[in-house]
Amino acid sequence: MDDFLMKPKIDFAFKEIMIDEKARTGFLAAVLKIDPESIQETRILNTNLRREHEDDKQGILDVRLLMDNNREIDIEIQLSELAVWADRSLFYLSKMFTEQIRPGESYRVFKKCVGISILDFILFRDEAEFYSCFHIREGTRNFLYTDKMEFHVIELPKLPDRPKEGCTDLELWAKFINAERKEEFDMLAEKNIYIDSAYRRLQVISQDDEKRMEYEA
């Protein structure tokens, strides 16, 4: 049992990993394709979306972050197949966007909202790439309507079996989230210092969870 490790794609484990500031900084930098050193602050927010009326649908996010006080980010992990995932992620991000403003405030208060979906199923069956990014653009001339909403989708089943030489940090992170064996974790941690921090956090929570399971047995 000494080598027991939780799977990072289990929502409890991923949420715990994101508590580590270095790990979440590295993950966000990989997805957003920016230098991690340029990220000044990442703060964990309340994951319950506000309900204006009693009969409003409840929304509870997996991980909600504020980055550099100008971007709100929702990270969701979904293991079972859900055909309406695009609609669900749009609902979450729309709620995040609209609850930023209060009566009488200027529309200038809106921060950019970014949705990151980590899926353990194939959403886009006609596409081979494991990663897709979506913006709101004009349909013919492809210019940006607004940059205030952005959707990133990571489809874990589409990952190549082994990371290629010179693969991106995003692919390394996706492989880490999808990993199950200690050998995989060790190899990925050696390639990226932020993944190494996530791995260390995973080891801590796995040991704690093992003790809990032994106590409850």
Side-chain angles (χ1 to χ4, degrees):
M1 293 292 287
D2 291 343
D3 291 337
F4 170 77
L5 288 167
M6 297 184 71
K7 298 177 183 178
K9 64 185 174 185
I10 301 300
D11 60 355
F12 168 79
F14 185 80
K15 291 174 188 178
E16 288 291 318
I17 289 170
M18 288 295 104
I19 290 174
D20 184 280
E21 184 176 11
K22 186 173 182 178
R24 66 176 182 263
T25 296
F27 176 74
L28 290 176
V31 175
L32 302 177
K33 297 180 175 60
I34 58 178
D35 182 352
E37 295 294 328
S38 72
I39 298 177
Q40 300 171 7
E41 180 187 25
T42 60
R43 184 154 52 91
I44 297 175
L45 301 178
N46 188 329
T47 56
N48 291 324
L49 294 170
R50 192 170 67 234
R51 296 172 66 181
E52 296 292 344
H53 307 284
E54 187 176 343
D55 59 351
D56 284 352
K57 184 173 179 61
Q58 179 68 56
I60 303 175
L61 310 179
D62 284 346
V63 179
R64 185 178 184 180
L65 305 171
L66 178 63
M67 190 179 96
D68 294 343
N69 202 36
N70 60 16
R71 278 189 250 197
E72 282 201 31
I73 298 171
D74 168 36
I75 309 173
E76 297 291 321
I77 288 192
Q78 179 69 23
L79 301 186
S80 58
E81 186 166 359
L82 190 61
V84 295
W85 181 258
D87 296 329
R88 179 174 166 178
S89 62
L90 178 60
F91 169 74
Y92 282 168
L93 221 60
S94 298
K95 290 278 285 184
M96 281 174 55
F97 189 75
T98 57
E99 73 173 35
Q100 294 179 40
I101 196 167
R102 299 288 182 174
E105 286 187 316
S106 166
Y107 291 112
R108 296 182 184 276
V109 303
F110 287 119
K111 296 176 172 63
K112 182 173 184 175
C113 288
V114 179
I116 302 173
S117 299
I118 304 168
L119 308 179
D120 200 25
F121 63 93
I122 294 176
L123 183 62
F124 308 118
R125 299 200 173 276
D126 295 331
E127 299 296 327
E129 294 295 323
F130 79 92
Y131 167 73
S132 304
C133 181
F134 299 91
H135 301 88
I136 302 175
R137 294 183 176 274
E138 199 280 332
T140 304
R141 300 185 302 283
N142 199 38
F143 64 88
L144 197 64
Y145 183 66
T146 175
D147 70 344
K148 287 295 193 292
M149 279 196 177
E150 186 174 286
F151 299 85
H152 300 260
V153 180
I154 298 168
E155 298 172 270
L156 298 178
K158 292 181 179 178
L159 283 168
D161 291 336
R162 293 184 178 181
K164 300 175 183 177
E165 194 67 34
C167 71
T168 65
D169 287 336
L170 177 58
E171 184 176 333
L172 293 177
W173 269 103
K175 296 291 287 186
F176 171 78
I177 293 168
N178 203 41
E180 297 185 4
R181 301 192 314 274
K182 184 177 184 300
E183 295 77 13
E184 296 176 272
F185 291 120
D186 289 340
M187 180 269 293
L188 293 162
E190 288 178 1
K191 292 179 177 290
N192 184 291
I193 59 172
Y194 299 95
I195 292 177
D196 179 66
S197 190
Y199 182 32
R200 292 175 186 275
R201 177 67 182 165
L202 181 67
Q203 290 172 314
V204 170
I205 63 175
S206 296
Q207 290 167 4
D208 290 345
D209 192 68
E210 182 182 353
K211 289 176 183 176
R212 179 182 61 81
M213 290 190 296
E214 290 175 350
Y215 175 80
E216 293 177 346

